[in-house]
Amino acid sequence: MSDDPSSSSLCPGCQREGSLLLPCGHRLCQACLQLCQQELGQDQAGCTECYGRELLDSVLKGLLDSLFEGRPRRVGNAVEGTETAEDGDLCPHHRDRLTQYCVEDEELICDQCQGEEHEDHKCSSIEEATQECKRELRAALRPLQEKLETLHTAKQTCQETSEHIRRQAQNTVRLIKENFEKLHQFLLDEEISMLRALSEEEEQKSQKMKDKMDRLTDEIMTLREAISSSEEAMSADDMAFLKNYKKTSERMDCTVQDPGEVSGTLIDVAKHIGSLTFRVWEKMQTEVTYTPVILDPNTADVCVILSDDLTTILYSEEDQQVPDNPERFCFYECVLGSEGFSSGRHSWDVEVGDCSEWALGVVKESVQRKEWFPPSPDRGMWIICLYGGEYRARTATNTPLTLKKKPQKIRVQLDWEGGRVMFSDADDNSLLYKYKHKFTEKMFPYFSNTCKRRPLHILAEKVSVYTE
C-alpha cells in the first residue's frame, strides 16, 4: 500500500478523511483497513468490497449452474455443447458446405461426399429435396388427417349412441313400471274382490246362525214358561189343581221344532283358497295379451315410429334422432321383428285396414340394410305390398295380385323347413300369394309403412290356460 496525493479523500467505509489507496484500487482509512483485516484475516488479499464482489459472483455462478444443469450454455454468441449455426452447415467429414441431399441414404452431403461414397446414389439440390420431401409428407399426412376426422366422427357417434342408450333405458324403465303397475292393480282388485266375497259369505252365514239362535232362545223361553206353569199347578191343592188342569194341559201342548243339524253352515274355505293363484292366472287372460311378433326398434328406419308396446308402426315425415347402428335400415321405411326364425312354422296377423302403402313379409338376416335396391327373393326379401293402389308380390317382375276384396288383415305364414312363405286374408283364410325357397339362414318378419294417415298393427292372439 502507498500514499497518494488524494489521500485526503473520504473513506467509503466511515466517511472520514485520510483514506489510503489499496493495491486493489479501492480506498479505506487506517481504522477501516484494520477492521477489514480482523474480519477477513491478515493473509486475505484485497478489501471488503473485493470480497463482497467475489462472494456475489460465486453465489450467482452456483445459481446459474443449478438452473441450467444439463442444458447447453451460451458462450458469447454460441451455445456450449452445440455447433454454431455456421458449423451446422458444414460436412462433419470434410468441413465443406453441405450442398446436396442423398435420396437413398436420406442425408445431407457435400460435393466431396457426392464424389466419393455417394457417387452412385441419386442426389438432388437441397431446395429440390426440400420440395420433394414436403410433397411426400403432405401425401402421407392426408390419410392421417382423414383418419383423424374419421376418429372424431366415430367419437361423436359414440357420444350420441351413449345418449340414445340412456334415453332407451329411461323409457324402458318407465314402460316396465307402467306394465307392473297394471299387473299390481289387477292383483289388488282381485284381492279386494276375493276378500269381499269371503266377507259376504261370513256375514250371510253369521246372520243365519244369529237367526237360529234367536229362534232357539224364543223356544227355550216358551218351554220354560210351560214347565214353570205346570210345576206351579202341581204344587196347588187338589181342588185348585183339578180346576186348572185343563188349562195347564193346554199350555203344556206347545210345539217346539227339533233344532237338528244343518250342513253348509261353515265358511267354504276350500272355495276361497283352493288353486287361488291358478284361478287368478286364468282370469288374467282378460288382461294379458300375447303378440307373436314384437318389433325391434334398433332396426327401424329413421322415419318409422313404434308404439310403446312395439306392435304398431307409424310413418313420420320428421326423422327420428337415433344412432345409425349396423342393424338399422335406410331407404325402406321399415322395421324387423325382434326374433328371427331358423326352424319351425310361424304365423302372425297384421291389421292393414285403410293403410294406403305397406309391405309385409320376411327377410334373411344378412339382407343389405344401408342401400336401396328393388326388393326380391334374389336380394333376400320375400314380401308383398300395396303401392300406388296396386297389390304386388315383390318378385323380379313385380307380380301383380288379383284379389276378390280389399283385405283388412293379412296373415303371414313361414314354414322354414318346408321352404314356404304364404300370405292370406286373415278374415276368410283365402290365399293371396305363396313363395317357394330353400332357406339357409335365420329369417326375420318384415314390416314397412309409408302411409301418412294410417298405422300397421300386429294383432294379439288369444291366450288360453289348460290343465292336464
Side-chain angles (χ1 to χ4, degrees), residues 330-332 368 370-375 379 394:
C330 298
F331 308 113
Y332 276 99
Q368 176 57 247
K370 300 301 183 182
E371 65 180 45
W372 186 91
F373 50 83
R379 304 304 294 264
R394 298 309 299 264

Side-chain angles (χ1 to χ4, degrees), residues 298-357:
N298 295 335
T299 66
D301 194 355
V302 293
C303 61
V304 170
I305 299 177
L306 306 181
S307 60
D308 285 344
D309 62 356
L310 304 179
T311 62
T312 301
I313 307 125
L314 286 165
Y315 173 77
S316 172
E317 293 183 329
E318 182 179 352
D319 290 351
Q320 308 303 300
Q321 297 301 314
V322 293
D324 186 21
N325 48 297
E327 301 86 356
R328 195 174 306 281
F329 275 83
C330 298
F331 308 113
Y332 276 99
E333 301 87 22
C334 68
V335 61
L336 299 186
S338 60
E339 181 183 3
F341 309 116
S342 56
S343 63
R345 296 180 179 181
H346 308 275
S347 174
W348 55 94
D349 292 349
V350 182
E351 184 177 14
V352 295
D354 295 327
C355 185
S356 60
E357 292 182 357

Side-chain angles (χ1 to χ4, degrees), residues 175 179 289 291 293-295 306-312 457-458:
L175 295 174
N179 278 275
T289 59
T291 305
V293 173
I294 299 299
L295 302 172
L306 306 181
S307 60
D308 285 344
D309 62 356
L310 304 179
T311 62
T312 301
H457 179 63
I458 304 172

